[in-house]
Amino acid sequence: MRTKIVAGNWKMNKTLAEAQTLTTELMTLVEAEVTNAAAIVLCVPFPYLPTLQQQLGTNARMKLGAQNCSEHEWGAYTGEVSVPMLSAMHVPYVIIGHSERRQYFGETNALMAKKVDAALKAGLTPIFCCGEPLDVREKGEHETLVREQVEQSLFHLPADAIAKVVIAYEPVWAIGTGKTATARQAQDMHAVIRRLLASRYGQNVADGIPVLYGGSVKADNAKELFSCEDVDGGLVGGASLKAREFTEIIKAIG
Ligand code: 13P
């Protein structure tokens, strides 16, 4: 059985005080209402990690994640945050290759491969994002592009390393637009990713890697998306900023 994961990507939102309030609300709701065993991950802005880590304390249900990391360990890289820094703060997850990093910061598949290596070396779980922009889908080239993204950023890994990666399929046209992929579109692409992993690493390894869906996941569409065979949870943006809505999404795992 693959681990089910619901991760919230807060992106560049909320003051520290608001972040603490949201975390308190979530802890209360999750404790009272969530009965499934899904892993819950909050990917918050860097400066909030230590405070929220303390706030979560020994809460076994919710873990923290960073939204990005440097490919370098230490040194003269002004403004960057390295994985050994995250690891020393006991942050277990890091998002790598979000489409907003690709789009606004020019991150390439090759750079993401280095970031994935850095994360794994320091013992963090990378949540590796892939997904096609609208024009690529309209040309019918979405499968080819996502295959390339996965191959170029992950396929240098040996089997025991890729087994520690989480993949998130996030079609760019569905991010922040309110346009969700249909359950069929999500399942089709997740199956493509799973087959690709199986062709390189064998079915056993492929079957163990969680593939999350991201892109306008909401309380009212989560159940249908999460019920797809190859959808192992979600990477949630806007809806993760509201405690009630995010809790409903977590509950939709079933
Ligand atoms: P939305 O849920 O706001 O569409 O964002 C998805 C996303 O980018 C998560 O990483």
Side-chain angles (χ1 to χ4, degrees):
M1 258 279 275
R2 287 186 286 277
T3 314
K4 304 278 185 188
I5 302 171
V6 183
N9 176 8
W10 291 6
K11 307 193 181 182
M12 198 176 71
N13 289 296
K14 302 217 175 272
T15 63
L16 177 58
E18 290 164 349
Q20 288 177 283
T21 303
L22 174 56
T23 304
T24 303
E25 289 170 356
L26 271 174
M27 287 169 77
T28 308
L29 284 172
V30 166
E31 164 85 21
E33 299 182 18
V34 175
T35 52
N36 64 46
I40 304 166
V41 184
L42 308 180
C43 299
V44 307
F46 286 130
Y48 305 163
L49 285 166
T51 309
L52 298 188
Q53 187 77 287
Q54 220 171 17
Q55 194 177 339
L56 289 176
T58 52
N59 188 304
R61 287 310 310 266
M62 279 190 274
K63 304 281 180 222
L64 288 179
Q67 299 172 12
N68 180 34
C69 63
S70 170
E71 72 276 28
H72 303 290
E73 291 191 334
W74 305 107
Y77 301 101
T78 303
E80 291 289 278
V81 174
S82 78
V83 200
M85 293 176 185
L86 297 171
S87 155
M89 289 194 293
H90 308 291
V91 173
Y93 291 88
V94 58
I95 296 175
I96 290 175
H98 192 280
S99 66
E100 286 147 20
R101 302 293 318 170
R102 296 173 188 268
Q103 194 177 344
Y104 305 132
F105 303 95
E107 295 198 4
T108 61
N109 292 335
L111 176 67
M112 287 164 204
K114 291 186 187 163
K115 293 188 177 196
V116 167
D117 289 344
L120 290 171
K121 186 175 171 200
L124 272 80
T125 300
I127 302 176
F128 170 76
C129 301
C130 56
E132 78 288 353
L134 183 60
D135 60 319
V136 172
R137 174 153 290 256
E138 283 174 346
K139 280 188 270 175
E141 292 167 3
H142 43 291
E143 291 185 9
T144 309
L145 184 90
V146 169
R147 263 196 217 108
E148 256 171 39
Q149 291 172 334
V150 172
E151 284 173 359
Q152 292 179 15
S153 297
L154 299 181
F155 273 20
H156 63 289
L157 296 171
D160 61 338
I162 200 159
K164 297 178 184 145
V165 173
V166 173
I167 296 177
Y169 168 60
E170 299 203 305
V172 180
W173 47 271
I175 294 178
T177 58
K179 254 195 233 167
T180 323
T182 62
R184 166 46 64 112
Q185 286 171 321
Q187 168 56 29
D188 284 352
M189 186 59 91
H190 284 227
V192 165
I193 294 169
R194 185 100 47 216
R195 277 199 299 274
L196 180 64
L197 292 168
S199 71
R200 166 79 171 81
Y201 295 100
Q203 197 63 48
N204 259 359
V205 173
D207 281 344
I209 297 176
V211 184
L212 315 183
Y213 169 80
S216 297
V217 176
K218 303 271 184 282
D220 60 9
N221 59 26
K223 212 172 187 71
E224 197 187 351
L225 287 161
F226 296 168
S227 66
C228 298
E229 191 185 336
D230 287 293
V231 176
D232 305 309
L235 181 55
V236 186
S240 73
L241 297 170
K242 298 171 218 145
R244 167 51 63 195
E245 176 128 20
F246 192 52
T247 305
E248 294 304 323
I249 293 171
I250 299 164
K251 284 155 73 176
I253 283 281

